Amino acid sequence: MFKNAIVIKPGKSIINGLTTANLGIPDYEKALVQHHLYCKALEKCGLDVLELESEEGYPDSTFVEDVALLTPHCAIIMNPGAPSRKGEIEKIKPVVSRFYSSIEEINEPGTVEAGDIMMAGDHYFVGLSARTNRKGANQVIKILNKYGMSGTKIKLENVLHLKTGLAYIENNNLMICGEFLANPKFDTFNKIEVPENESYAANCIWVNGTVIIPSGYPVTKKRISDLGYSVIDLDMTEFQKSDGGLSCLSLRF
Ligand code: CIR
């Protein structure tokens, strides 16, 4: 179960964030409303939500998931692969230290963004992507091992982050899409396929028994409901324009 979430309010500069999506420029006011409803949904799932003020100097900082991995045993501060995002860690370090006494860091030449890390119990899958390199992934796994946890590297071909196409929703259930479907490293899971035309919904989050998914993906929603989860769907259009999904908007621990 999770108790806490840390989020960062989107800034006006979100319009200048990194993106590969061809969906237009995010509407700041709409993003604020969507972010507020996201926080409310986390609270409804029982989390205490700590909302940090926006960081105008860092257009992508609302995607706070990428800058830290908060495990039950330690926190790991990342070294983001995107040059424009490296400075984001300075804001999160002191906040994380309010909750954790064991804090580790990923160092150059290793780079890792935690959108590339998926927790499944004590085991973590670490994506090798354009943002996360092998040296960084090895550092993560070494730290996990030090605290009694383990990790497996997964090579990414097409998607931005590992969790762009995967979500572990507990009880051995794995939401899975695209390039990951045929990967034997996921064969021990009960795989719930997210159809290609609903691929954005593969980035969903389990929060204390409820699964939060983006609105507008009925096939995926039904597949999750059929497993017995309660489902909340949220409008995420403005974050999708920045390649961001539901997991990216919070650190849950
Ligand atoms: C970026 O490209 O870094 C942001 N525009 C989106 C980050 C999304 N984060 C994630 O998938 N964990």
Side-chain angles (χ1 to χ4, degrees):
M1 298 288 273
F2 296 122
K3 284 202 204 108
N4 298 291
I6 299 172
V7 301
I8 301 183
K9 220 182 229 190
K12 292 195 177 80
S13 62
I14 192 170
I15 59 169
N16 299 319
L18 300 170
T19 189
T20 57
N22 238 335
L23 298 170
I25 294 170
D27 178 315
Y28 166 64
E29 298 295 337
K30 238 177 164 180
L32 279 185
V33 172
Q34 291 181 355
H35 194 262
H36 176 71
L37 295 175
Y38 177 84
C39 294
K40 288 279 158 223
L42 294 181
E43 282 171 0
K44 200 170 162 200
C45 296
L47 301 190
D48 284 336
V49 178
L50 173 59
E51 184 174 28
L52 308 178
E53 271 316 307
S54 54
E55 282 274 278
E56 289 300 346
Y58 294 99
D60 287 302
S61 54
T62 194
F63 302 113
V64 62
E65 164 181 76
D66 291 322
V67 297
L69 180 72
L70 304 184
T71 81
H73 309 290
C74 67
I76 310 177
I77 304 294
M78 299 294 139
N79 178 21
S84 65
R85 302 200 59 186
K86 287 197 188 288
E88 290 178 27
I89 61 170
E90 297 311 325
K91 173 161 179 137
I92 210 69
K93 272 190 209 169
V95 179
V96 166
S97 68
R98 288 192 228 160
F99 297 93
Y100 281 85
S101 50
S102 299
I103 302 183
E104 308 280 347
E105 290 188 17
I106 302 302
N107 297 304
E108 293 287 346
T111 65
V112 185
E113 295 186 3
D116 276 320
I117 306 179
M118 183 181 75
M119 174 176 81
D122 273 350
H123 191 76
Y124 292 72
F125 292 88
V126 185
L128 300 174
S129 69
R131 306 283 184 89
T132 297
N133 62 21
R134 195 168 287 276
K135 290 202 163 92
N138 287 340
Q139 288 181 36
V140 170
I141 292 170
K142 200 168 165 200
I143 295 166
L144 292 172
N145 291 161
K146 177 174 157 188
Y147 291 90
M149 299 171 282
S150 54
T152 304
K153 294 188 282 273
I154 303 286
K155 180 102 184 62
L156 271 59
E157 304 294 340
N158 303 313
V159 290
L160 173 65
H161 287 126
L162 184 76
K163 283 185 287 186
T164 310
L166 284 177
Y168 183 60
I169 58 168
E170 303 295 320
N171 304 311
N172 205 42
N173 293 322
L174 180 69
M175 305 305 296
I176 184 164
C177 188
E179 67 187 75
F180 302 117
L181 277 162
N183 190 325
K185 288 188 174 154
F186 301 114
D187 281 353
T188 56
F189 290 99
N190 176 35
K191 297 183 199 176
I192 298 112
E193 182 173 349
V194 177
E196 200 54 49
N197 65 341
E198 296 202 358
S199 62
Y200 182 65
N203 183 273
C204 54
I205 51 175
W206 176 94
V207 190
N208 300 342
T210 296
V211 178
I212 307 181
I213 68 165
S215 304
Y217 301 96
V219 174
T220 307
K221 183 174 182 178
K222 180 160 188 320
R223 286 182 185 167
I224 298 171
S225 309
D226 286 350
L227 292 167
Y229 295 99
S230 52
V231 179
I232 296 177
D233 49 342
L234 292 177
D235 219 344
M236 287 289 292
T237 54
E238 302 320 297
F239 301 106
Q240 188 176 11
K241 290 174 182 171
S242 306
D243 288 340
L246 281 160
S247 73
C248 324
L249 288 180
S250 60
L251 291 164
R252 302 164 299 284
F253 58 104

